[in-house]
Amino acid sequence: MEATLNIPGKAINDKLLYYLDICARCGACSDACHFYVTTKEPPHAPAYRMELLRRIYRRQYTWSGKIFTKLFKTNGVGSGEFLEEFKKAAFECTGCRRCTVFCPFGIDMGAFVGLMRSMLYRAGRGNEILDMLADTAISKGEMIKELQETFAETIRNLEERLRKETGDPSFKIPVGVKGARILYVALAGEHSIIPAAKIFNKVGENWTLSLFEASNYGYFTGNIEKAKKIAERIVNEAKHLGVKTIVISECGHAYRVFKHLVPTWFSGFNFEVKSIVELVADYVREGKLEVEGKVVEEPITYHDPCQLARNGGVIEEPRMLLKLVAKDYRELTPSGEKNWCCGGGGGLVAIPELYELRMKAGKAKAEQIRRSGARIVATACENCKLQLNDLNRYYNLGLKITGVIDLVAEAI
Amino acid sequence: MSEIKPTKKLDVRGLMCPMPVVKLSSAINEVKVGEVIEVLATDPGSLTDIPAWARKTGNEVLKIDKEGNVIKFYVKRLK
Ligand code: SF4
Ligand code: SF4
């Protein structure tokens, strides 16, 4: 089926033109992409992804591309086959930007893929599941008054349970506290509330739990308006409560969205944004939180979530925390900003039909974990955890997958 | 309320956000309009996510029951 894909005029800027022009087709990016190294399919090669966009640009904006359609390969643009390749290139990418690190010109594939997804969205060819999840989050924002009581009750039950478990009758999970210093934005399940709550209670933090989840599926759809609406729920909550710092739970893309995009989306956004991992590392450095000792006996490694490490600069903090609690910490090779993507980002873990592809794309990750000899893999992103759990089963790795904050919470 | 008779059961126990909603949105297409799915979940996030999903997609959550840490939703397909 055909569809017209257009690059909106406002997306044409010097950066885009420079990237389209400068690519030397050297192929350095291909070996860096975890999709391309296992599938060898052209739409998975970063430079080819960009070539598809270049063809649209030429057909749409250049005379030569309009007239010499064969020469500039613009004749196929708009065909069903082209659309399929374009969709593959846009959605079978985790936006990890590993290719960018290896490209001699630092061409930002994450930005291209974001643009490609938005073009598909505008042509009515976006991803339905990601879109449905974005709409659900927006809908939750709209009906928050109705849902608030259910949420509060769930949290009260959890608080009660944790009072018994910790033996601390004053254990609190505050909700809606005006003037709190920190707004903690967890994920939709209690697993991302409990460890943070234990740490906050231990250090006596003045915090409050957000009514909303940190994840932002609007960001993955390519529809920035939806991404903004989802983030706006939390921005308004932070303003209403008058907090100073917004702390994002272990979720890579949510951190990137809040740290780097949200401040440019909303005027007067003057909150500090931190990952829970950065905050807990601060507690340790400032002597507010003491860890009992090295309680983790088995060899453990850390998987750098792309959005937190490569694209967010949070590299040292999780390592510092893990080395505090673990006897045998092992580094993956490569790691930090050159770390292999696990293959689950970009919203891919939520798309059931991409399961097999995800498993292929995670092969490089599975192999580097196996080589490390680690029995436990800690990471600081929900999508990575879901993907690592799937890889663990698929490749029979026999691992335990956990969060960094979970381990710290166990050790205090 | 008269007794609800689900035609399908969806077990998403142990699954975490966003999977309960992803599975439900595909399962809803497997029942006819007017029929009910019983969803078993353990993620407390689903307590707010499933009603929000239903409102957005124009379906209806008839009832929510809790048994221990299992949450049961009865979701009726409306369109
Ligand atoms: S951003 Fe990541 S997944 Fe996308 S092309 Fe680059 S290396 Fe591949
Ligand atoms: S590494 Fe950069 S210059 Fe080389 S082919 Fe890839 S995008 Fe083009």
Side-chain angles (χ1 to χ4, degrees):
Chain A
M1 223 187 286
E2 303 201 351
T4 313
L5 295 169
N6 284 314
I7 305 179
K10 64 174 194 297
I12 309 284
N13 54 34
D14 290 350
K15 195 169 128 191
L16 179 94
L17 297 179
Y18 170 74
Y19 285 156
L20 288 178
D21 193 44
I22 195 82
C23 171
R25 318 320 193 247
C26 68
C29 52
S30 301
D31 295 335
C33 176
H34 49 300
F35 285 92
Y36 186 75
V37 291
T38 32
T39 68
K40 300 287 180 203
E41 290 185 41
H44 290 156
Y48 188 81
R49 300 181 200 254
M50 190 164 57
E51 166 62 15
L52 297 175
L53 197 63
R54 190 183 290 110
R55 287 184 198 163
I56 296 181
Y57 173 76
R58 285 195 171 134
R59 188 213 52 189
Q60 208 184 332
Y61 291 103
T62 70
W63 284 110
S64 48
K66 282 181 186 149
I67 298 167
F68 305 112
T69 56
K70 243 189 174 152
L71 180 66
F72 289 107
K73 296 191 177 129
T74 51
N75 49 350
V77 172
S79 70
E81 201 184 324
F82 182 87
L83 180 70
E84 280 317 305
E85 271 204 331
F86 194 87
K87 268 189 104 162
K88 220 172 153 63
F91 281 103
E92 297 179 7
C93 163
T94 47
C96 69
R97 296 173 79 248
R98 189 169 196 265
C99 50
T100 302
V101 173
F102 286 84
C103 169
F105 303 108
I107 291 178
D108 184 356
M109 206 56 63
F112 276 119
V113 164
L115 173 62
M116 290 164 82
R117 288 187 180 190
S118 77
M119 290 162 63
L120 283 161
Y121 189 86
R122 287 154 50 99
R125 299 306 169 96
N127 181 280
E128 283 177 15
I129 294 174
L130 297 180
D131 204 35
M132 177 275 292
L133 290 170
D135 285 342
T136 299
I138 294 170
S139 162
K140 185 168 155 186
E142 288 163 357
M143 58 193 295
I144 194 64
K145 284 214 159 69
E146 284 164 61
L147 297 176
Q148 214 162 355
E149 196 31 52
T150 313
F151 183 80
E153 193 198 318
T154 313
I155 298 303
R156 276 197 299 272
N157 291 341
L158 181 61
E159 194 176 64
E160 211 39 60
R161 213 177 82 205
L162 288 172
R163 279 183 184 164
K164 283 186 199 130
E165 265 176 45
T166 59
D168 173 5
S170 60
F171 192 100
K172 267 199 92 55
I173 305 182
V175 180
V177 176
K178 282 202 172 186
R181 185 176 89 94
I182 280 171
L183 177 68
Y184 176 60
V185 194
L187 295 161
E190 62 180 35
H191 66 289
S192 93
I193 301 172
I194 297 170
K198 284 186 177 165
I199 296 171
F200 288 145
N201 275 273
K202 188 85 180 177
V203 302
E205 183 58 85
N206 177 12
W207 69 296
T208 187
L209 177 67
S210 171
L211 300 172
F212 302 102
E213 70 292 344
S215 51
N216 190 323
Y217 279 88
Y219 172 65
F220 295 139
T221 61
N223 182 330
I224 289 303
E225 290 316 310
K226 286 192 184 178
K228 283 183 185 170
K229 273 193 186 165
I230 295 170
E232 194 178 27
R233 306 170 309 168
I234 298 162
V235 175
N236 287 344
E237 189 183 26
K239 282 185 183 160
H240 171 71
L241 297 176
V243 302
K244 188 172 166 289
T245 306
I246 297 176
V247 175
I248 306 291
S249 56
E250 292 191 339
C251 179
H253 80 278
Y255 177 75
R256 180 163 155 78
V257 166
F258 256 87
K259 182 87 183 178
H260 300 292
L261 303 176
V262 167
T264 67
W265 289 345
F266 302 98
S267 59
F269 180 91
N270 48 13
F271 302 99
E272 178 187 40
V273 176
K274 277 195 172 173
S275 154
I276 180 76
V277 178
E278 290 176 289
L279 180 71
V280 173
D282 286 349
Y283 289 153
V284 172
R285 283 194 205 105
E286 292 161 11
K288 290 183 186 160
L289 185 71
E290 266 185 51
V291 172
E292 268 173 22
K294 297 185 185 286
V295 294
V296 180
E297 305 263 340
E298 285 188 293
I300 180 171
T301 189
Y302 177 65
H303 160 67
D304 283 288
C306 303
Q307 304 299 359
L308 210 62
R310 188 159 33 243
N311 304 329
V314 182
I315 294 176
E316 286 312 314
E317 294 84 347
R319 291 177 164 76
M320 184 263 259
L321 294 173
L322 289 175
K323 285 175 191 167
L324 274 182
V325 298
K327 285 201 173 117
D328 181 359
Y329 174 77
R330 301 179 182 193
E331 203 55 79
L332 293 178
T333 322
S335 66
E337 71 158 5
K338 290 193 171 163
N339 190 37
W340 279 107
C341 171
C342 64
L348 269 64
V349 283
I351 307 174
E353 65 264 28
L354 293 185
Y355 173 78
E356 277 299 328
L357 178 71
R358 270 201 288 125
M359 294 303 99
K360 279 190 193 161
K363 191 161 172 252
K365 181 90 262 167
E367 282 169 0
Q368 78 171 156
I369 294 173
R370 211 193 300 262
R371 276 198 306 275
S372 77
R375 309 309 307 149
I376 306 173
V377 182
T379 190
C381 169
E382 184 80 356
N383 281 348
C384 296
K385 285 174 201 163
L386 291 169
Q387 168 78 350
L388 290 170
N389 271 310
D390 284 348
L391 290 176
N392 188 24
R393 280 188 290 270
Y394 191 88
Y395 291 102
N396 274 320
L397 299 172
L399 300 166
K400 181 184 165 205
I401 315 294
T402 181
V404 175
I405 297 307
D406 301 62
L407 292 177
V408 176
E410 279 168 30
I412 55 175
Chain B
M1 192 189 279
S2 62
E3 205 195 327
I4 302 169
K5 289 203 183 78
T7 43
K8 189 179 166 66
K9 205 172 194 166
L10 178 69
D11 188 352
V12 292
R13 282 176 298 177
L15 294 184
M16 286 183 301
C17 171
M19 292 330 279
V21 169
V22 169
K23 300 249 174 201
L24 176 56
S25 69
S26 107
I28 198 85
N29 296 318
E30 292 161 25
V31 300
K32 296 194 193 96
V33 172
E35 288 181 349
V36 175
I37 301 187
E38 180 184 341
V39 186
L40 301 179
T42 42
D43 175 8
S46 58
L47 276 169
T48 49
D49 283 356
I50 289 182
W53 166 87
R55 176 176 175 266
K56 188 67 215 171
T57 52
N59 294 296
E60 191 185 354
V61 177
L62 298 176
K63 194 152 102 73
I64 303 176
D65 281 341
K66 286 185 216 159
E67 282 169 25
N69 66 347
V70 179
I71 311 158
K72 268 192 199 177
F73 297 87
Y74 296 90
V75 183
K76 186 173 179 182
R77 178 170 177 185
L78 291 187
K79 51 182 199 189

